[in-house]
Amino acid sequence: MKVQHDISLKQYNTFGIEAKAKSFAGFETTDELAELLEYNENQNSSHQQKILILGGGSNILLKKDFNGLVLKNNLLGIHEVKEDGQHVYVQVGAGEVWHRFVLHCIDKGWAGVENLSLIPGNVGASPMQNIGAYGVEIKDVFYSLEAFHVKDKKNIHFSLNDCEFGYRESVFKRKYKDEFVITNVTYRLNKVPDFNISYGAIKQELEKMAVTDLSLQAVSQAVINIRSSKLPNPDVIGNAGSFFKNPEIENLKFKSLKEQYPAIVGYDLPNGNVKLAAGWLIEHCGWKGYRKADAGCHEKQALVLVNYGNATGEEIYNLSEEILQSVKRKFDVLLEREVNIV
Ligand code: FAD
Ligand code: EPU
């Protein structure tokens, strides 16, 4: 067990924000995790620290130095645990890189996660906010997970229903916030692909690629091409993907907005409400391409806030607040942040 102190977190968050952790340690086994949690509890109460579980740091904004213990999850391993006629069940360590797992599935011919190609971050965070893209969410392939209870030091099993997945939501993001460390996730993948190419520009991209026989590789590549064309690469420009969620509003309100703004983008939901494209709202408040010092709103995707180099977490947060207020003023719609503010 090695605990370091006053560690820069710049390389551990895709926003590239310079912030320090008072203490920092990685863990490669659940025993090491338990040891670290005990070490923290055994400090006398004035030294016991709050903790932050860190995966790839691609969905956090560090607003200031973290005055506590950061625990970097390095639990690895990909194991087929069972199969039936149609499915293979694969248990994956929470510290595995998500996209590497997707590529592994494609290589093995296991279907279900190809539309989720190139999402940054680690497997352990995938159920946190039920990651989603191009018509697929993690809940569609999720089977179960194991999570270590921080206080009780026990492994708890969660089934699909236990996780209460919603749009960018789960029990881990709200009800059990900071109570559990997800240690592994089991996905139920299909032996025979049921391709989902109806969403967005996937079909057009496949045509552009001159694909005649659909394959997992082709769908994955189409998604990668679309994503690369509009989302900034965090290795080049710091960001955490969509900063806000797409808001849900009542149909009546959508109709009235549509009268005022005929081009407004919204999608009908099964419950009768409408999901608005937050990127459209933000763009039409004039923010797209905006930059103040090193904090900005991406020029190709207004939903993505960016750090051009040396922005502070506070500057990014303040920009998000200005955006939120202006969308509220212009459209009377309240945006909710998707990114976890630390
Ligand atoms: P982190 O940022 O490390 O952590 C996120 C939160 O989860 C934190 O609160 C952290 O404490 C908690 N956490 C992490 N691991 C664990 C664990 N093992 N146990 C308990 N809590 C944990 N998301 C989408 O859904 N769809 C997209 O299309 C998408 N596109 C993106 C594109 C870009 C360019 C970027 C930068 C981000 C994008 N994201 C997207 C957001 C992000 O990639 C996902 O939310 C991802 O799952 C975060 O994983 P992470 O390991 O980096 O999590
Ligand atoms: N739009 C604009 N201006 C913009 C951006 C978007 O007008 O600057 C409009 C366009 O009309 C576009 C529509 O918004 O057709 C939707 O845009 P896009 O397809 O880029 O998707 P999104 O709704 O902005 C969501 C997810 C992404 C996910 C994509 C693809 C949320 C909050 N975001 O973005 O997830 O990759 O769909 O499925 O739901 C993330 O969560 O971090 C993330 C990147």
Side-chain angles (χ1 to χ4, degrees), residues 100-119:
R100 244 188 268 150
F101 167 60
V102 171
L103 293 179
H104 179 82
C105 292
I106 291 170
D107 198 42
K108 290 275 192 178
W110 301 333
V113 287
E114 56 283 359
N115 291 41
L116 302 175
S117 295
L118 211 62
I119 296 182

Side-chain angles (χ1 to χ4, degrees), residues 166-167 246-252 254 266-276:
Y167 165 59
N246 286 325
E248 182 175 331
I249 60 167
E250 287 183 358
N251 199 289
L252 211 61
F254 181 66
Y267 315 92
D268 290 332
L269 293 171
N271 65 3
N273 288 345
V274 175
K275 191 184 273 187
L276 292 177

Side-chain angles (χ1 to χ4, degrees), residues 295-313:
C297 179
H298 190 52
E299 56 188 13
K300 290 189 192 153
Q301 226 303 1
L303 198 44
V304 178
L305 301 193
V306 291
N307 171 13
Y308 286 105
N310 293 312
T312 62

Side-chain angles (χ1 to χ4, degrees), residues 214-279:
L214 270 188
S215 65
L216 297 175
Q217 283 86 352
V219 174
S220 168
Q221 192 56 54
V223 168
I224 288 172
N225 293 351
I226 300 167
R227 292 181 68 95
S228 309
S229 73
K230 55 179 162 188
L231 288 169
N233 176 351
D235 292 338
V236 183
I237 305 176
N239 76 94
S242 302
F243 200 89
F244 301 97
K245 291 183 185 184
N246 286 325
E248 182 175 331
I249 60 167
E250 287 183 358
N251 199 289
L252 211 61
K253 179 158 183 181
F254 181 66
K255 281 192 180 132
S256 110
L257 280 171
K258 188 95 185 155
E259 267 172 33
Q260 251 183 304
Y261 307 99
I264 195 168
V265 181
Y267 315 92
D268 290 332
L269 293 171
N271 65 3
N273 288 345
V274 175
K275 191 184 273 187
L276 292 177

